Amino acid sequence: MLELYLGGARSGKSRLAEQRICDANRQRIYLATATAGDPEMAARISHHQQQREADDWRTVEAPEELSGAIRQYASPQTAILVDCLTLWLSNWLAKEDDERWMQVKGQFLHTLTTAPGHIVLVSNEVGQGIVPMGSLTRRFVDEAGRLHQDIAAIANRVVFVTAGLEQVLKN
């Protein structure tokens, strides 16, 4: 089962996705894509970690090698939460290697179609605002939109979250 949770910053998407994993009644794996580059991001990471401590999660840091982590941990007995895809995308776009990014993205999509178990992906919807002025920011918005479309096409369930409320787009 593959699910995609999309929403804006602080929309409640991570909380709802985490609950979905908890409801799956399987071993819980959290694939974290964030890196603590500054104190504010470190605080965000700490907040998410504290929320999961009581719920028996295994956390795996995967800021770049997401496909490998999914292949390693996905099984019929696991429920994997990936939080979040836009941070993972940022990590790859910062490398400024378009050819490598396209290979990594293709590998990731293939991994999602073949991985066993329950996988829930969380990502920020960033394409609903104005077109950014900077070329890197425009590329990020474009690549995030393409990634979301590709995942939505193969996902069993897609949910958009606003103000902590789910709107199921595909089920």
Side-chain angles (χ1 to χ4, degrees), residues 10 14-15 18 22 28 30 32 39-59 61 81 83:
R10 298 289 182 237
S14 292
R15 180 182 52 79
E18 287 174 10
C22 290
R28 298 176 191 120
Y30 185 99
E40 190 271 338
M41 183 55 97
R44 284 176 182 252
I45 291 169
S46 177
H47 173 74
H48 279 283
Q49 289 170 337
Q50 289 171 4
Q51 286 180 306
R52 292 189 307 274
E53 282 178 0
D55 291 329
D56 195 29
W57 288 85
R58 177 174 184 176
T59 300
E61 303 296 329
L81 176 65
D83 197 356

Side-chain angles (χ1 to χ4, degrees), residues 89 93 105 126-127 131-132 135-149:
L89 172 62
L93 292 183
K105 178 183 167 186
V126 296
V131 176
S135 62
L136 179 58
T137 310
R138 278 193 306 275
R139 176 143 191 267
F140 172 78
V141 170
D142 290 349
E143 290 297 332
R146 289 182 190 110
L147 180 63
H148 295 160
Q149 289 181 56

Side-chain angles (χ1 to χ4, degrees), residues 23-146:
D23 291 347
N25 203 22
R26 300 177 187 200
Q27 179 187 4
R28 298 176 191 120
I29 310 289
Y30 185 99
L31 300 183
T33 62
T35 56
D38 59 55
E40 190 271 338
M41 183 55 97
R44 284 176 182 252
I45 291 169
S46 177
H47 173 74
H48 279 283
Q49 289 170 337
Q50 289 171 4
Q51 286 180 306
R52 292 189 307 274
E53 282 178 0
D55 291 329
D56 195 29
W57 288 85
R58 177 174 184 176
T59 300
V60 177
E61 303 296 329
E64 293 179 11
E65 297 303 325
L66 204 45
S67 295
I70 291 171
R71 284 193 304 274
Q72 181 176 352
Y73 293 101
S75 77
Q77 296 79 34
T78 60
I80 295 174
L81 176 65
V82 176
D83 197 356
C84 89
L85 292 179
T86 44
L87 290 173
W88 175 69
L89 172 62
S90 293
N91 295 339
W92 277 102
L93 292 183
K95 295 179 180 302
E96 297 184 21
D97 186 343
D98 294 349
E99 185 175 320
R100 182 69 179 124
W101 161 243
M102 294 310 290
Q103 292 170 350
V104 166
K105 178 183 167 186
Q107 180 183 41
F108 178 67
L109 294 169
H110 176 73
T111 298
L112 293 177
T113 63
T114 59
H118 189 174
I119 300 172
V120 177
L121 309 169
V122 175
S123 197
N124 290 298
E125 178 52 62
V126 296
Q128 293 187 317
I130 60 171
V131 176
M133 290 181 64
S135 62
L136 179 58
T137 310
R138 278 193 306 275
R139 176 143 191 267
F140 172 78
V141 170
D142 290 349
E143 290 297 332
R146 289 182 190 110

